[in-house]
Amino acid sequence: MNILKVIEVSKYWGGNRALENITFSMNCNILGIFGPNGAGKTTLLNIIAGIYSPTKGEIYYREKNITKLKPWIRVQLGISKTFQVVRPFRTMTVEENILLFSKIRDNSNVDEIIKITGLEDFRYRFPDQLPFGHLKKLEIAKVLATNPEILLLDEPFGGLNNEEIKDLLELFVKLRKNGKRLVIIEHRISSLLEIAEDVLFLDRGKKVFEGPVKKFLENEDIKEYYFGGNNNA
């Protein structure tokens, strides 16, 4: 069974094409979605999350057509999304933020979420008292509190230094081991390729590549056109 299936999804904003006939299936634990600016990556993630409706096409989650379902219903089914810009409730502590989201779908183990995200020393602090890297972790912790099967992560490495990125990569591996599925949009391709199993590559709203990381790295057209003939993306 495909955990997630996108079938011929297109999105137009007036006369502008954001996505055109995107079809792919997710059968892995970590899917990396890559592409240059304007490729349609965030638009695709927002359509999967239900924030945008596709102009045409369908979305299936565990063989259920969720194309017309509201975002909050998708969260209750098991699909939750983070945002590029962190959105904590700034008048609530870290613990209170996570506790609030845990009530959306089956009360989650807040203590376990705080532990796995490395926020133990910050649980009673307010978001404005957190380093930026920990704000990113709080954004992920809020999503985890909804007890999702699929996490949609929109550029989680944005604004982070190498050490902070390493921490998030380790967190994603832990989540994978705990049975979570991750769909990750990221510009830092080399970092995400360390843990991704499959790749979806978009360019100007169209699918350029879909498949395992190994075949992605062996694709001469992609290496030459996007990476200058090497893998140091």
Side-chain angles (χ1 to χ4, degrees):
M1 176 191 296
N2 294 313
I3 186 71
L4 179 68
K5 187 185 297 183
V6 173
I7 301 176
E8 295 186 355
V9 161
S10 297
K11 182 64 177 177
Y12 298 95
W13 303 104
N16 296 320
R17 180 197 68 203
L19 295 170
E20 183 170 351
N21 294 328
I22 301 298
T23 296
F24 73 92
S25 299
M26 182 180 182
N27 300 297
C28 62
N29 293 304
I30 300 181
L31 171 67
I33 301 181
F34 304 134
N37 289 332
K41 304 183 299 297
T42 295
T43 298
L44 177 59
L45 215 64
N46 283 333
I47 288 174
I48 296 171
I51 297 169
Y52 299 156
S53 297
T55 304
K56 68 173 185 176
E58 296 178 321
I59 310 290
Y60 288 82
Y61 169 59
R62 289 198 169 276
E63 307 302 326
K64 177 181 176 66
N65 190 330
I66 63 170
T67 309
K68 296 183 179 180
L69 298 184
K70 299 295 185 182
W72 64 269
I73 297 179
R74 301 188 198 202
V75 172
Q76 290 184 335
L77 288 175
I79 302 174
S80 293
K81 180 184 181 296
T82 65
F83 294 85
Q84 292 183 28
V85 179
V86 294
R87 300 180 176 184
F89 289 97
R90 296 189 179 275
T91 59
M92 302 173 70
T93 65
V94 165
E95 181 182 68
E96 290 169 340
N97 266 274
I98 298 170
L99 184 61
L100 177 64
F101 280 80
S102 74
K103 299 181 183 300
I104 295 176
R105 176 178 185 253
D106 296 333
N107 286 337
S108 303
N109 188 326
V110 174
D111 289 336
E112 182 62 29
I113 291 170
I114 289 174
K115 180 179 179 181
I116 198 171
T117 53
L119 292 170
E120 299 103 316
D121 295 337
F122 300 88
R123 68 185 299 158
Y124 302 119
R125 296 192 189 183
F126 293 93
D128 289 343
Q129 298 173 311
L130 269 60
F132 184 68
H134 287 74
L135 278 174
K136 287 278 192 170
K137 289 182 177 182
L138 176 56
E139 184 75 8
I140 295 169
K142 287 161 43 188
V143 168
L144 287 173
T146 69
N147 194 22
E149 181 177 17
I150 298 180
L151 287 78
L152 308 175
L153 306 176
D154 194 352
E155 296 193 24
F157 302 150
L160 301 183
N161 60 38
N162 289 335
E163 191 61 33
E164 291 168 333
I165 290 173
K166 180 181 177 182
D167 285 345
L168 278 194
L169 287 171
E170 292 174 355
L171 170 60
F172 296 158
V173 170
K174 290 178 184 177
L175 296 180
R176 178 177 63 192
K177 290 179 179 178
N178 288 346
K180 302 297 183 184
R181 313 268 189 146
L182 287 74
V183 179
I184 308 175
I185 289 176
E186 191 48 60
H187 285 295
R188 299 285 292 267
I189 294 178
S190 59
S191 297
L192 187 51
L193 286 177
E194 295 179 27
I195 61 169
E197 298 155 1
D198 287 348
V199 169
L200 177 68
F201 203 97
L202 305 179
D203 186 17
R204 289 170 286 187
K206 295 184 177 181
K207 182 175 74 173
V208 177
F209 176 89
E210 176 190 3
V213 166
K214 185 175 185 294
K215 290 187 177 180
F216 175 74
L217 293 174
E218 292 173 348
N219 189 299
E220 295 299 329
D221 291 337
I222 289 177
K223 285 195 293 185
E224 182 63 33
Y225 186 78
Y226 294 101
F227 308 146
N230 60 58
N231 296 339
N232 297 321

